[in-house]
Each structure stands twice: as C-alpha cells, then as structure tokens.
Amino acid sequence: MKKIAFSLLVVGAIFTSCSDDDDNNGTPTLTIPTEYTSTNFNANVAAENTVVDELATMTSAANAAESDAQSTTVAAIAYPATLSAVTLPNYRTRVQNWLVELVAAANSNDGFINPGFGNSPDGSDEGGLLGSRLLDEYGLELEQMVQKGSFGAALYNHAITVVNGIKNGTDGFTDSGAVDRLVEIHGTETTFDPSETTAAATYSRRRSNLSAETGFFYDIQTNLITAKAAMEGGSDFNSIRDQALDDYLMNWEMSNFATVIYYCNATKSQLEAAFALEDGAEKDAALGNALHAYAEGVAFAHGFKGLSNKMITDAEIDDILTELLAVEGQNPESHRFLNEVGLFANLDNVIDSIQNIYGFTDAEVTGFYVNNNP
C-alpha cells in the first residue's frame, strides 16, 4: 500500500518573513495566514479564467445537444483553442473525435439501442437517447468524457505547468501572484466559498465535510495559502513552498479518484434500482441515469492517464478502465452494464483498487459515497 506524507503547517493570524532574535538564532520563521489574499487576482488569472470558461462553454454546447437530440438538428461543437492548447495531446485528439460522435448521436434518428446480453452494438448505429441521457452506440455518455476528463487532462495538466514554473523560477512565475493561477484553474476564488465553485473544485468540495471544514477542498485552501505566504517570504521558504505545491496537486488527485469511488458506488446503486422497475419509460430513464454516473467515473479516471506529477500510475488507471469496460483505444463495452449483474463486482473492484492506492480508510470510502453541497 502506498503511503502519503503531508507537511505539517502552522496556521497563524499574520505573515512574517524572518526574525533575528536570540530565540531562533537568526533562523527565518514563517507564520501562515488564515485567509487567502490577492491584490491583483483577476489580472493574474486571465489565462486560467479563459480555460475554465471555454470548458464551461463546450460543456453547455454538449448539454444543449443532449436536450435537442432527435428533435432538432444539432450543429458541430467547437473545441475552444485555449482549452485545447493546455490539454494532453492524446486526450485532445480523443475530445475532437468524441465531439463529432456526440453530435452524430444527437442527430441519430433512433434512440440508444441496447444490443442485449452477449451481443455487440450494430456498427451502423450512431447511438441516441436512453431516457434523457445521450449515449454513443456503445453506451458511453461522451459529454462526460469531454468535460470531466478535461478536469484532469487539461486543468490539472495546466496546474502542473504552473507548479513547475514556480519551482523552477520561470519568467512569469516568480511573483506570488502565480499562486492565484492555481486557485483559478482548480475552480475556486480567493474566499474559497464552497457555494462558489466551478470545475474540479466542485468535486473536491463534494468529497469534503462542509460543516467541519475538513477534507480535500479545505486542504487545498491551506496548501495555496501556504505556498503564497512562502513565496512572499523569500527563498528561505522555498522548501515550504514546494511541499505546499506538491500537497495541492496530491489533494486534487485524491479528490479526483475519491470521486471515481463515488460514481462507481452510484452506478451500482442506480442500476440495482433500475433493474427492479418494469420495462418502460421510467426504467429507461433510470438506466440512462445509471450510465450517466458510470460515464462520470470513466471520465474522471481516464482524464488522469498520461499526466505527470501524480501518485497513481498509468498502468493502475488502465486496470481501472479495464474493469469499467472502457479500455483506452478500444470501443467501450459500457452497454454490458445494462445486461450483466455480475459486472457489479467490477465496480467494487475499482473502489477497492483506489482505496489501496491512496490508503483511504473504510470510513473515508463510505464518506465519499455522499455528495456534500452547500
């Protein structure tokens, strides 16, 4: 079992850079503020704001395609340039293809066709609606792949670039305002208000205890406050800065895979409930919702494949995608979850695997099954 070590940070009311009194023999000291402050936040995060906004725009277009499916001709969906530029090349290519397939499914004359137990989809199908969910012919909801997968392949990928720029002293990353960029790309703002989140921060918040103010969302807040204070304190605190930046990425990664746990459990629960219904529109809607949850789990996992600066390995992500019948580079077999109760074990296996990788306790895993919203 892999072990995770986090730095112990002292939280104080004010920031001071160093002291030369006799008590510390001239050793610099750092006190960490309790709040995040920035004097020029909007200007500092202009590029990151563009990325987050472009992802929201693309997602809105995908939502509209689902709403208009089989009733109105859906136009091609653009892949915004800045978002595309910060996305891992392999995932960028997949998003380009998924957007085309998503539109084809929306413009299909038929709804989603379940091939049934032991059968494969007809290669001439384009997919369509199952209840209110737009699926490709294999049963995968591509909207989730282009949105939730981009949280890793684009947003986290960009965060790595910023972290490396800060650590390396790259031009444009030497001022503490560079930390503002990490606040924005995660989907938060300077107050870290849990009711004002976008993108990945919505899910680190959902995997946190909002009443106790504990969990990934609040740990990320502490990490960024610490990194900013350390940068403002000068080079004496580079090690504290670097540890805080590493912890920021680690907390984001863990919240991402804790969310995969959530969706595996949700998929199983929703499928069990759907299978108990009589055939008809209500059952179709329930099955569609279950595959919606399933696709979110696939996307959150897939989006981290190929990234650097992460604990989970690409081989471990491949194992997760294999259990989810969504192997990279192959046609998914998502439709099988509609027909094979035995595949519930695959969902349990993914949960167990992620728990072992990150050393989550049983209580933590159970806690991840809940969406915590303001």
Side-chain angles (χ1 to χ4, degrees):
M1 184 179 297
K2 298 181 180 178
K3 301 297 182 182
I4 303 169
F6 292 104
S7 58
L8 298 177
L9 303 174
V10 178
V11 178
I14 60 172
F15 163 78
T16 58
S17 61
C18 62
S19 172
D20 294 322
D21 59 34
D22 293 336
D23 292 338
N24 59 22
N25 297 317
T27 302
T29 59
L30 180 67
T31 305
I32 313 301
T34 57
E35 296 181 353
Y36 190 96
T37 59
S38 175
T39 58
N40 203 24
F41 185 81
N42 290 336
N44 291 339
V45 304
E48 289 70 28
N49 181 255
T50 297
V51 171
V52 173
D53 282 352
E54 286 186 351
L55 179 55
T57 297
M58 183 176 69
T59 302
S60 293
N63 281 331
E66 183 175 72
S67 298
D68 294 338
Q70 297 170 226
S71 62
T72 302
T73 300
V74 174
I77 298 174
Y79 191 5
T82 307
L83 172 65
S84 173
V86 301
T87 303
L88 285 172
N90 285 349
Y91 209 82
R92 180 189 306 134
T93 299
R94 297 192 183 284
V95 170
Q96 290 168 334
N97 293 333
W98 285 328
L99 289 173
V100 173
E101 293 175 16
L102 188 157
V103 170
N107 290 326
S108 171
N109 293 324
D110 301 312
F112 171 75
I113 300 172
N114 181 356
F117 179 79
N119 298 319
S120 299
D122 186 329
S124 63
D125 291 339
E126 295 288 357
L129 291 174
L130 178 60
S132 63
R133 305 299 183 176
L134 183 62
L135 311 178
D136 73 358
E137 64 268 37
Y138 302 104
L140 186 62
E141 187 183 21
L142 300 181
E143 176 191 340
Q144 304 311 316
M145 302 304 295
V146 302
Q147 181 197 20
K148 305 303 170 33
S150 293
F151 290 172
L155 306 189
Y156 187 93
N157 187 51
H158 181 68
I160 292 171
T161 299
V162 176
V163 165
N164 289 340
I166 293 172
K167 288 183 176 182
N168 297 331
T170 305
D171 186 37
F173 296 91
T174 56
D175 183 87
S176 67
V179 180
D180 294 350
R181 303 173 73 167
L182 298 175
V183 175
E184 178 70 18
I185 202 65
H186 178 239
T188 47
E189 34 66 58
T190 57
T191 65
F192 286 85
D193 183 346
S195 66
E196 297 291 336
T197 61
T198 60
T202 298
Y203 296 86
S204 65
R205 182 204 73 205
R206 289 182 179 180
R207 309 282 84 78
S208 300
N209 186 321
L210 304 187
S211 298
E213 296 189 355
T214 59
F216 303 121
F217 181 83
Y218 298 99
D219 290 340
I220 286 171
Q221 178 185 21
T222 298
N223 301 152
L224 295 175
I225 291 173
T226 302
K228 193 175 185 71
M231 290 188 74
E232 291 171 354
S235 60
D236 287 326
F237 303 108
N238 283 355
S239 61
I240 294 176
R241 175 202 68 188
D242 292 352
Q243 184 63 61
L245 294 173
D246 289 344
D247 290 351
Y248 159 82
L249 291 175
M250 189 72 255
N251 280 308
W252 184 341
E253 177 187 343
M254 289 196 297
S255 71
N256 183 87
F257 284 94
T259 298
V260 177
I261 287 176
Y262 169 83
Y263 281 114
C264 284
N265 181 70
T267 300
K268 181 178 176 180
S269 297
Q270 292 181 32
L271 284 173
E272 287 174 336
F275 289 160
L277 298 173
E278 297 288 338
D279 289 345
E282 183 182 2
K283 183 172 185 176
D284 287 345
L287 291 172
N289 289 337
L291 286 192
H292 165 78
Y294 156 84
E296 297 216 47
V298 173
F300 273 104
H302 195 168
F304 262 67
K305 186 175 179 187
L307 291 169
S308 60
N309 293 58
K310 66 182 191 294
M311 172 178 280
I312 195 170
T313 67
D314 285 347
E316 288 167 336
I317 293 175
D318 282 336
D319 289 342
I320 290 171
L321 296 178
T322 297
E323 294 282 3
L324 295 177
L325 308 184
V327 176
E328 183 179 31
Q330 299 181 16
N331 292 329
E333 298 180 280
S334 312
H335 58 89
R336 289 177 56 191
F337 282 95
L338 298 175
N339 303 298
E340 300 177 39
V341 175
L343 291 176
F344 288 174
N346 292 42
L347 301 169
D348 293 334
N349 291 341
V350 171
I351 293 171
D352 291 342
S353 175
I354 293 172
Q355 179 177 11
N356 288 334
I357 289 167
Y358 294 104
F360 293 139
T361 66
D362 290 343
E364 286 174 326
V365 169
T366 301
F368 298 152
Y369 293 166
V370 178
N371 269 338
N372 296 302
N373 296 313

